[in-house]
Amino acid sequence: MTVLADRIEMAESGGELTLDTMFEWVERMPVPEDYKIEIVGGNIFMAPQRDTHWEIIADIYDQLRTKYPRQRVKSDVRIDYPGRLNGFASDVTLLADRAAKDSRGLWRCEDVRFVAEVVSRQTAANDYGPKKEAYAAAGVPVYLVVDPYTGRWHLHTLPRDGEYRGVLSLDFGQEIDLTGTVVGLVLKTDEFPRD
């Protein structure tokens, strides 16, 4: 990690640090296969995929797939968001019907309609803070945070002026009614495991 830190410092001093450069560095690092990598505010985060985490992601993905084609539902795919060096690999992302990749081959944040993040202890602050702010700034209509440590989910809607105006928090077991949103379905949470 010291070599990476030295390169980041050198790039920052030269004004050339970009998300692409940072992701190139990460791709050359010996990262274990089961680790998720994201860049939040110019900081690289690596977290192992836990079983509980994966089960919730798979449950949300499967429920979205009852309505949407596979091409519109993504998991752990890099999308760049507003703010300083934000390249997220969200747990679950739903893209717009006619979403298109940009000139670099990446999905555009303007085409994201729904994001779900499942909280990990190491990166929880990102999900509740800078990532929520970046999703709101991008105008993502629906942002869902699922917290297996508290057994609660937090639904954020109505993004305006860089923040979510609608917030609802309830316990696992209670349905997430998204019928009044662009998602247009109800997510069941009764099988979400807890940590």
Side-chain angles (χ1 to χ4, degrees):
M1 284 302 266
T2 54
V3 172
L4 179 60
D6 292 343
R7 287 183 182 170
I8 290 173
E9 283 181 32
M10 288 178 358
E12 282 182 332
S13 65
E16 39 185 277
L17 184 62
T18 66
L19 280 171
D20 289 338
T21 300
M22 292 180 77
F23 275 107
E24 285 174 20
W25 292 338
V26 170
E27 287 174 9
R28 288 188 227 138
M29 292 172 56
V31 178
E33 195 171 308
D34 295 345
Y35 275 63
K36 174 180 175 173
I37 298 171
E38 294 185 298
I39 299 173
V40 180
N43 297 301
I44 298 171
F45 291 88
M46 293 183 241
Q49 186 77 274
R50 294 177 347 276
D51 192 49
T52 299
H53 194 240
W54 171 244
E55 290 212 14
I56 294 171
I57 293 168
D59 195 347
I60 294 169
Y61 181 90
D62 289 346
Q63 291 184 65
L64 289 172
R65 285 283 294 120
T66 64
K67 180 172 181 172
Y68 298 102
R70 182 172 290 113
Q71 296 82 0
R72 289 188 59 193
V73 184
K74 306 294 178 188
S75 179
D76 291 339
V77 173
R78 175 186 166 190
I79 299 175
D80 296 347
Y81 284 90
R84 182 182 175 276
L85 299 173
N86 287 321
F88 305 157
S90 307
D91 291 326
V92 181
T93 301
L94 175 65
L95 297 170
D97 186 29
R98 290 186 168 78
K101 291 183 179 182
D102 65 17
S103 60
R104 298 173 302 149
L106 300 174
W107 294 106
R108 301 172 332 126
C109 66
E110 296 86 358
D111 291 331
V112 175
R113 296 295 171 254
F114 167 84
V115 169
E117 296 285 8
V118 180
V119 172
S120 294
R121 283 196 202 279
Q122 302 91 336
T123 58
N126 290 337
D127 296 331
Y128 288 114
K131 289 175 88 172
K132 181 177 81 171
E133 293 166 9
Y135 293 140
V140 174
V142 181
Y143 174 45
L144 176 66
V145 179
V146 180
D147 193 331
Y149 302 103
T150 63
R152 295 176 59 87
W153 51 264
H154 310 277
L155 180 64
H156 302 275
T157 57
L158 306 173
R160 191 173 73 210
D161 300 328
E163 67 179 74
Y164 284 104
R165 304 300 172 106
V167 179
L168 176 64
S169 298
L170 292 172
D171 298 320
F172 285 12
Q174 296 179 289
E175 295 179 339
I176 305 169
D177 186 353
L178 301 175
T179 55
T181 72
V182 295
V183 181
L185 55 77
V186 174
L187 295 175
K188 299 195 178 299
T189 67
D190 52 327
E191 293 186 13
F192 285 3
R194 291 188 62 167
D195 263 343

